[in-house]
Amino acid sequence: MIHEKTILIVDDEPRTREGIRKTLEEWSAGKNRIQTAASGVEAREWLASQPADLLITDVRMPELSGLSLVEAIQQFPGKPAVLIMSGYADFNYAQQAIKLGVVDYLLKPIDKEQLLQTVQKALHVHEQQRRIQTMEKMVDPKLIDVRERREQRGDTPIGEALAYIEAHLGENMTMREIADSLHLNSSYFSVLFKEQVGLNFSEYLTRKRVQRAKELLVQTAMPISEVAERVGYQTDKYFIKVFKSLEGLSPSKYRHSVHEKN
C-alpha cells in the first residue's frame, strides 16, 4: 500500500506513545504510515535507514533526549519536520527547539484537536521545504554564477537586457533586437554581454529557457509541447533536442526522475 506521508512518534511512555498513534491513525484513515519508537536511540536508528515526513518526539527521554535526537538527524537526507512534546513549560527547551528548526512545541497532556491541527501544519511546512529544496537542486550552476556576477556589478545596460529576457522567454527574440532597444551596437553588445555575464547571448538564453522548462515540468502537468511553446520553442522536437543536450535526458524523463525522487 502506498502511503502519502510517514509520521514517527517517539516517547518512552507507552501510554502517551500509543495514545498519539491511535489519534493519528483514526485521523489518517490509512492514508499515512504511523510508526512509533520507544526511545531516542531507536528513533535515530530508524531514521538513519528510512525517511520520515514528520517526527513527533518527547523532550525528556533516557539515553538520548528529544533535542539530542533532533540534533543527531540534522545531516540526514530527507530530514523530517519536527514537533517537540514536553510535560514542562521550559523556556530553555523551547528556545533550543526553535534554533533547531522545530515547527512547534506541544505541552502535555496534549489536546487531540491541537495535536491534529499542529500535525497538519507541520506536514504542510515539510511539503513547502521539500519543494524549495527540489527547486534549488534544479537551478543551473552557470545561472547561479551569472546572478552572483550581476549582484557585484549593480545596474548596467546588460542588467536591463537580462530583465527583458526574463520577462519575454516565451517570445522570439534576437540579440540584435535587444541591442537596438538599448541603443547599442550589436557587436559591442555581444562583447559586453559575454564580459559581464560570463556566457554568450545564445547560451544564456538557451540555459534560461531550459531552466524555466524544468520548473514547468516539475510544478505542472503541462504537456511537453506546451512547455516548449511557453519557453520560446516553436517545435517540441527542437525543444527536446536542446533540453537533452543540456540535461542529458529528455523532458519527460526529467519530469519522471524528479517526481520519483520526491
Side-chain angles (χ1 to χ4, degrees):
M1 183 179 180
I2 298 171
H3 295 97
E4 289 184 8
K5 305 288 181 185
T6 297
I7 300 171
L8 178 63
I9 303 155
V10 191
D11 200 312
D12 59 321
E13 297 174 5
R15 192 174 169 184
T16 302
R17 187 172 68 242
E18 287 306 305
I20 293 172
R21 182 189 62 77
K22 189 179 175 185
T23 299
L24 292 185
E25 283 188 343
E26 286 174 1
W27 159 76
S28 178
K31 285 189 299 181
N32 303 308
R33 180 185 176 208
I34 315 297
Q35 297 288 119
T36 62
S39 71
V41 173
E42 185 186 334
R44 183 181 60 193
E45 289 171 2
W46 193 96
L47 289 164
S49 63
Q50 56 199 306
D53 297 283
L54 175 60
L55 168 67
I56 304 173
T57 180
D58 189 29
V59 165
R60 296 193 179 190
M61 294 184 291
E63 292 186 88
L64 191 70
S65 73
L67 290 177
S68 297
L69 169 62
V70 177
E71 280 185 293
I73 65 170
Q74 289 300 303
Q75 304 309 315
F76 285 11
K79 191 176 68 171
V82 181
L83 295 178
I84 289 280
M85 305 179 289
S86 176
Y88 309 88
D90 191 312
F91 182 67
N92 288 330
Y93 280 152
Q95 262 192 328
Q96 289 177 61
I98 289 165
K99 282 180 185 175
L100 290 167
V102 169
V103 176
D104 218 328
Y105 190 93
L106 295 165
L107 280 175
K108 294 180 178 179
I110 296 166
D111 175 76
K112 280 188 180 183
E113 283 304 311
Q114 186 193 9
L115 171 67
L116 295 178
Q117 284 175 14
T118 310
V119 163
Q120 288 174 81
K121 170 188 164 187
L123 288 173
H124 177 71
V125 167
H126 185 258
E127 181 66 21
Q128 293 297 105
Q129 288 172 341
R130 190 185 61 76
R131 282 181 183 166
I132 291 165
Q133 287 164 1
T134 299
M135 297 310 292
E136 284 173 348
K137 286 176 191 170
M138 285 164 46
V139 178
D140 185 330
K142 290 199 175 183
L143 293 180
I144 294 174
D145 290 343
V146 171
R147 189 170 63 206
E148 288 171 354
R149 279 171 175 255
R150 297 301 317 134
E151 285 168 357
Q152 289 166 9
R153 284 185 178 273
D155 290 334
T156 68
I158 297 302
E160 289 181 47
L162 296 182
Y164 181 88
I165 291 168
E166 182 76 36
H168 298 85
L169 271 182
E171 301 168 20
N172 287 327
M173 68 178 87
T174 66
M175 186 178 73
R176 182 179 291 278
E177 286 168 354
I178 295 177
D180 287 348
S181 73
L182 294 169
H183 309 293
L184 294 173
N185 172 277
S186 60
S187 297
Y188 174 66
F189 175 81
S190 176
V191 171
L192 194 64
F193 192 96
K194 179 69 188 287
E195 180 190 294
Q196 293 192 12
V197 175
L199 302 170
N200 64 39
F201 177 83
S202 61
E203 184 182 356
Y204 177 78
L205 179 58
T206 298
R207 287 183 178 276
K208 282 299 289 183
R209 283 176 163 163
V210 168
Q211 180 63 43
R212 178 73 58 81
K214 289 194 291 185
E215 292 165 10
L216 292 172
L217 288 166
V218 173
Q219 294 176 336
T220 75
M222 202 178 281
I224 303 300
S225 57
E226 194 177 337
V227 171
E229 192 180 329
R230 288 284 188 97
V231 299
Y233 291 100
Q234 293 180 336
T235 69
D236 51 350
K237 188 176 179 182
Y238 184 60
F239 164 64
I240 290 166
K241 182 182 175 184
V242 171
F243 190 97
K244 202 169 181 179
S245 72
L246 274 184
E247 295 301 318
L249 70 173
S250 69
S252 57
K253 284 185 178 174
Y254 179 86
R255 172 181 268 164
H256 181 71
S257 71
V258 173
H259 287 165
E260 217 174 33
K261 286 173 189 172
N262 291 292

